Amino acid sequence: MATFEITKTKKSRLNEINWNDLKFGIYFSDHMFISDYRNGKWDGGRIVPYSAMDVDPAMCTLHYAQSIFEGLKAFRSVKGGANIFRPDMNAKRLNNSARMLCIPEFDENLLIEAMVELVKLDYDFIPKVRGQSLYIRPFIYGTGSFLGVTASETYRLAIITSPVASYYPEGLKPVKILVSTEYVRAVKGGLGMCKAAANYAASLKAGFEAHKKGFSQVLWLDGISRKYIDEVGAMNIMFVIGDELITPSLERGAILPGITRMSVLQLAREWGMKVSEREISIDEVVESYKNGTLKEVFGTGTAAVISPVGLLHYKGMDMVINNNEIGPVAQKFYDTITGLQYGEIEDTRNWILRIEIS
Ligand SMILES: Cc1ncc(COP(=O)(O)O)c(C=O)c1O
């Protein structure tokens, strides 16, 4: 039994969904969870029908971006019911982001309970096709109405859910990535390691210009020396050079600690691969490309799980990776993680939160 009140919708939005053309983030399920922070504490929350929320023109978040979010997915399990992938990690990361933006932390167990109730209630919104899922978006924003750069005294946490298409309807498709030499996303000491809305605003112009040139995303270099690799727009990045799996370390503090990244690294270590979390410069990548040791490049993230990079463009140079095909390492991570998510592979690591539907 949920610890909070649930008000069910009187009119479902289920019929409005075009299941043959879901795309990402355009349809929303019937219900949302809301909790408010006032007088120094969060209330117990409630589930209500999905609807617009009031916004005061002076609401501080509109002006000063005191806003954070998370993204995770629920999958229709082959065993019936639903699976959520590592929600405890998202709950923890939400609170890490909260601390950096002076937002009060939210009870992680309550957040997970709320996500479970939403998935149960809107189970019919989880697509039936393998590769598709119900995206879960928790977010917190300051609700104070004032002008002035200071933390809000009131907040709202909300969770909405959205049925989403498979990232790759025709199987894993390598993407073209532009290494940004003009713009930076984050610097040490900034918000790079948080899922802060402001980071995504900072990435829009570079992303827009990259799209215009035919690239799907931008690979960011570190904001200070512009030498070391940070991450991609909404993914962490990994390189297979020789027999070593290399990914930028989190130590510099400008990279989002991805949950897919963490899972891939754990699997790689379990499988006995040589794994390095370290600084890797773009020069090292170019060098390994030239001497033929660069075997695979792929992104890791909730949206696509694994996204093979077929082409990296840096300073006028096109580096075509693995003949623009998915490599064996990327494929193995993809098969294993999606197998766990859809319940086809037994979960021996406690990564899956199972939701039984009666
Ligand atoms: C900037 C950024 N880096 C990396 C990731 C990958 O993180 P995760 O694997 O937790 O989805 C994301 C997506 O959430 C992201 O937005």
Side-chain angles (χ1 to χ4, degrees):
M1 275 295 282
T3 54
F4 40 79
E5 207 173 288
I6 298 177
T7 309
K8 291 193 186 172
T9 187
K10 293 200 170 71
K11 189 174 178 307
S12 175
R13 311 154 69 96
L14 204 53
N15 305 336
E16 295 164 20
I17 295 177
N18 179 356
W19 294 100
N20 298 320
D21 192 19
L22 280 179
K23 299 202 172 71
F24 183 87
I26 60 167
Y27 296 112
F28 297 97
S29 316
D30 279 342
H31 300 92
M32 61 183 185
F33 176 84
I34 285 176
S35 171
D36 290 312
Y37 181 92
R38 269 186 228 104
N39 303 320
K41 63 177 196 318
W42 288 105
D43 65 23
R46 60 215 173 270
I47 284 181
V48 294
Y50 183 98
S51 64
M53 299 199 279
D54 272 352
V55 174
D56 187 287
M59 187 177 78
C60 58
T61 296
L62 295 180
H63 304 269
Y64 309 110
Q66 200 188 8
S67 168
I68 56 174
F69 66 97
E70 270 305 322
L72 64 163
K73 284 175 170 174
F75 306 85
R76 214 174 256 264
S77 169
V78 294
K79 299 185 189 121
N83 288 340
I84 309 186
F85 189 68
R86 310 195 76 174
D88 49 333
M89 292 296 138
N90 292 88
K92 202 177 272 181
R93 192 170 65 185
L94 184 72
N95 277 337
N96 287 342
S97 301
R99 283 191 291 276
M100 273 303 286
L101 276 98
C102 301
I103 292 172
E105 289 178 39
F106 193 80
D107 183 311
E108 292 173 18
N109 291 326
L110 178 57
L111 187 82
I112 294 170
E113 188 191 348
M115 293 194 280
V116 168
E117 283 305 321
L118 280 177
V119 170
K120 278 187 185 165
L121 211 51
D122 287 335
Y123 181 71
D124 290 343
F125 284 82
I126 309 180
K128 297 194 172 78
V129 176
R130 171 74 155 84
Q132 303 187 344
S133 56
L134 187 71
Y135 183 78
I136 307 173
R137 165 57 60 88
F139 55 107
I140 309 182
Y141 59 97
T143 49
S145 294
F146 58 88
L147 298 182
V149 183
T150 177
S152 183
E153 290 185 355
T154 57
Y155 296 87
R156 171 160 286 189
L157 174 139
I159 310 173
I160 55 176
T161 66
S162 169
V164 295
S166 159
Y167 212 76
Y168 302 108
E170 313 93 25
L172 286 175
K173 194 168 149 277
V175 291
K176 286 165 80 174
I177 303 268
L178 175 70
V179 182
S180 180
T181 48
E182 193 174 349
Y183 303 103
V184 295
R185 168 189 178 270
V187 290
K188 185 182 169 81
L191 296 176
M193 82 297 247
C194 304
K195 227 165 151 56
N199 287 335
Y200 298 84
S203 75
L204 290 176
K205 189 157 190 284
F208 180 73
E209 290 181 8
H211 280 153
K212 272 205 305 203
K213 292 179 188 153
F215 298 96
S216 60
Q217 291 201 39
V218 165
L219 176 66
W220 301 104
L221 299 179
D222 79 274
I224 295 171
S225 69
R226 312 267 183 118
K227 198 169 148 191
Y228 296 103
I229 288 167
D230 268 354
E231 60 182 329
V232 182
M235 298 188 291
N236 295 112
I237 188 94
M238 305 215 173
F239 301 87
V240 181
I241 299 181
D243 63 352
E244 190 183 5
L245 178 70
I246 307 167
T247 196
S249 83
L250 302 175
E251 266 164 35
R252 215 154 4 88
I255 301 174
L256 190 78
I259 291 150
T260 321
R261 173 190 183 280
M262 179 196 298
S263 309
V264 162
L265 292 177
Q266 184 175 330
L267 289 173
R269 290 187 173 113
E270 285 177 18
W271 295 340
M273 290 176 71
K274 192 165 153 197
V275 178
S276 298
E277 290 178 72
R278 63 167 169 88
E279 295 212 316
I280 172 164
S281 67
I282 187 66
D283 290 344
E284 181 180 344
V285 173
V286 171
E287 185 52 36
S288 65
Y289 173 73
K290 285 185 177 159
N291 69 25
T293 52
L294 180 62
K295 304 275 187 253
E296 293 186 38
V297 181
F298 54 90
T300 66
T302 296
V305 183
I306 300 293
S307 185
V309 176
L311 185 141
L312 259 185
H313 184 92
Y314 177 60
K315 287 190 176 164
M317 179 186 184
D318 275 340
M319 294 181 268
V320 178
I321 323 285
N322 194 43
N323 289 324
N324 197 27
E325 284 164 17
I326 172 141
V329 175
Q331 185 76 55
K332 191 171 173 193
F333 287 128
Y334 180 81
D335 292 344
T336 306
I337 294 177
T338 56
L340 286 162
Q341 291 171 333
Y342 288 94
E344 298 149 350
I345 297 178
E346 196 196 340
D347 172 33
T348 53
R349 300 172 190 84
N350 224 358
W351 284 356
I352 300 296
L353 176 65
R354 261 206 60 69
I355 302 174
E356 304 291 344
I357 304 291
S358 43

